[in-house]
């Protein structure tokens, strides 16, 4: 999977007149399901994590989980990275 900056994707979305799904996840199962759906559809997805989930998991553990799940995916399928990643 490749990393995309959310701002550049949103500009492309606006110019192209299409949408990118953003899914709020609470755990590893939900995160894996969102990434699997993006992979199956060959589509970018936004994995959305609330501040409450971030506090519950902790930024380090959440980043490790996300990286591990992304690493299992096909390398040519992009995923989005928001500017909020600095928080993680």
């Amino acid at each position: 999977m490749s990393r995309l900056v959310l701002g550049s994707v949103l500009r492309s979305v606006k110019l192209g007149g299409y949408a990118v799904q953003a899914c709020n996840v609470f755990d590893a199962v939900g995160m894996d399901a969102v990434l699997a759906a993006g992979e199956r559809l060959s589509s970018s997805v936004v994995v959305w994590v609330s501040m409450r989930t971030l506090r519950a998991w902790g930024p380090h553990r959440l980043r490790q989980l996300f990286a591990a799940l992304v690493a299992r995916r096909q390398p040519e399928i992009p995923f989005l990275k928001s500017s909020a990643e600095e928080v993680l």
Side-chain angles (χ1 to χ4, degrees):
M1 296 188 126
S2 59
R3 299 182 128 198
L4 302 173
V5 177
L6 185 56
S8 67
V9 171
L10 293 179
R11 280 188 292 279
S12 296
V13 165
K14 185 176 181 181
L15 291 172
Y18 61 95
V20 174
Q21 180 70 34
C23 301
N24 189 16
V25 299
F26 305 99
D27 57 19
V29 174
M31 190 179 294
D32 193 44
V34 170
L35 294 172
E39 182 179 43
R40 191 176 77 224
L41 298 172
S42 297
S43 176
S44 297
V45 293
V46 176
V47 176
W48 194 273
V49 179
S50 70
M51 288 303 293
R52 187 176 198 177
T53 300
L54 179 62
R55 282 192 298 268
W57 278 80
H60 182 70
R61 200 166 70 168
L62 191 58
R63 185 183 319 124
Q64 286 180 324
L65 170 64
F66 185 72
L69 292 174
V70 166
R72 293 181 5 191
R73 306 281 165 225
Q74 296 178 17
E76 67 274 8
I77 306 299
F79 74 92
L80 299 180
K81 175 186 104 170
S82 77
S83 57
E85 187 171 345
E86 291 90 35
V87 174
L88 297 176

